[in-house]
Amino acid sequence: MLAKRIIPCLDVKDGMTVKGVNFVNFRNAGDPVELGRAYSQAGADELVYLDITASYEERKTFIDLVRRVAENVNIPFTVGGGIGSVQDVGNLLNAGADKVSINSSALRNPQLITDIANNFGCQVCVVAIDARCDNNEWICYVKGGRVPTEKKLFDWAIEAQERGAGEILFTSMDHDGVKEGFACEALAELNSRLSIPIIASGGCGTMEHFKDAFTIGKADAALAASVFHFNEISISDLKEYLRQNNINVRI
């Protein structure tokens, strides 16, 4: 069995790491390069950097920051936000990123998933899905969770896989920052429908929530932000806890 991955997520706004609740009310969490280096040294398996206002502000993501991160961390990292073309992806990979995360641009132009997979390999393309459960139906949102679409979570995830996505990063907007646990039922449903890895995001507050994401939600990786940024959970303690609960992690 492949080891489950622990992934700190760094949402970047105006050059600083921030964290909000339900995609709003952000507070500063520190320098993204220094945090990334600390997580790398602490035993994180991967990192995700998201330029959270790039799509909304309709601008390109942060090449200079990517270069500095690549110089300071020794684990794989994914970059997302404002990526709209194969050239954008090439620029980010050349700057040192290992993977890219696309969300709004993929929903606007699903062919982009296929183009990235064909040019760089499926493993480079992470399709991020921000969704909210409205009237018992999971609806996908774009522009940093500001605008609903007609796409439904499960249908879109299947389409993304068919088009060449290497992973799905699913964030429950209802759970984001609330620290009451991941959306495990939706994660398990994604797992039953897909063959590619699924990254759980949104709602982690305790080490037990990570365990639930892996056991109940069947996720392949779990992503969190504030519990790491504000020293509520240490990565080493978390991995030891998971290991003691018979979950395969890299120690």
Side-chain angles (χ1 to χ4, degrees):
M1 178 187 288
L2 291 174
K4 303 295 187 181
R5 290 171 286 150
I6 302 300
I7 307 176
C9 179
L10 298 95
D11 292 339
V12 179
K13 184 177 186 290
D14 301 325
M16 295 300 291
T17 309
V18 298
K19 185 63 192 119
V21 176
N22 300 132
F23 281 48
V24 295
N25 300 324
F26 297 105
R27 58 173 170 153
N28 194 332
D31 177 80
V33 177
E34 292 301 319
L35 279 172
R37 179 161 53 192
Y39 293 141
S40 177
Q41 295 170 347
D45 297 296
E46 298 180 19
L47 299 170
V48 170
Y49 284 87
L50 298 177
D51 188 343
I52 60 171
T53 58
S55 292
Y56 177 67
E57 295 172 359
E58 299 183 348
R59 58 176 170 76
K60 301 300 183 185
T61 196
F62 34 33
I63 294 288
D64 290 342
L65 177 62
V66 172
R67 289 196 184 98
R68 288 192 290 126
V69 171
E71 292 169 355
N72 284 275
V73 306
N74 57 11
I75 56 175
F77 70 97
T78 300
V79 177
I83 298 168
S85 69
V86 168
Q87 182 177 348
D88 291 341
V89 176
N91 291 340
L92 290 165
L93 296 179
N94 288 336
D98 297 277
K99 294 184 268 189
V100 297
S101 171
I102 55 174
N103 186 338
S104 299
S105 58
L107 281 159
R108 285 195 304 267
N109 175 25
Q111 179 63 32
L112 180 61
I113 301 170
T114 306
D115 292 342
I116 294 171
N118 287 343
N119 279 274
F120 307 106
C122 294
Q123 78 284 351
V124 164
C125 185
V126 179
V127 172
I129 304 176
D130 298 333
R132 187 189 302 277
C133 193
D134 298 329
N135 298 317
N136 294 317
E137 194 160 41
W138 285 93
I139 305 298
C140 300
Y141 279 67
V142 294
K143 292 188 178 292
R146 293 171 175 83
V147 181
T149 71
E150 296 180 354
K151 292 282 191 180
K152 309 298 191 296
L153 168 63
F154 304 114
D155 294 340
W156 173 231
I158 291 169
E159 180 181 347
Q161 174 179 274
E162 291 172 346
R163 287 181 174 275
E167 293 182 277
I168 298 294
L169 168 54
F170 163 53
T171 300
S172 167
M173 295 172 60
D174 299 304
H175 294 72
D176 177 67
V178 178
K179 299 184 181 180
E180 295 180 354
F182 294 99
C184 289
E185 289 186 11
L187 286 165
E189 182 71 15
L190 283 170
N191 175 267
S192 72
R193 298 192 187 203
L194 302 177
S195 59
I196 58 176
I198 298 158
I199 305 169
S201 171
C204 176
T206 68
M207 289 192 278
E208 185 178 7
H209 292 156
F210 282 93
K211 176 172 70 73
D212 290 346
F214 295 133
T215 56
I216 301 171
K218 311 295 184 184
D220 299 276
L223 177 150
S226 58
V227 292
F228 297 139
H229 299 340
F230 303 117
N231 300 312
E232 296 166 26
I233 295 176
S234 82
I235 292 171
S236 59
D237 288 348
L238 171 60
K239 287 194 167 185
E240 180 59 26
Y241 166 83
L242 293 172
R243 189 186 65 80
Q244 290 177 2
N245 281 274
N246 301 311
I247 295 170
N248 182 25
V249 293
R250 297 182 189 91
I251 298 294

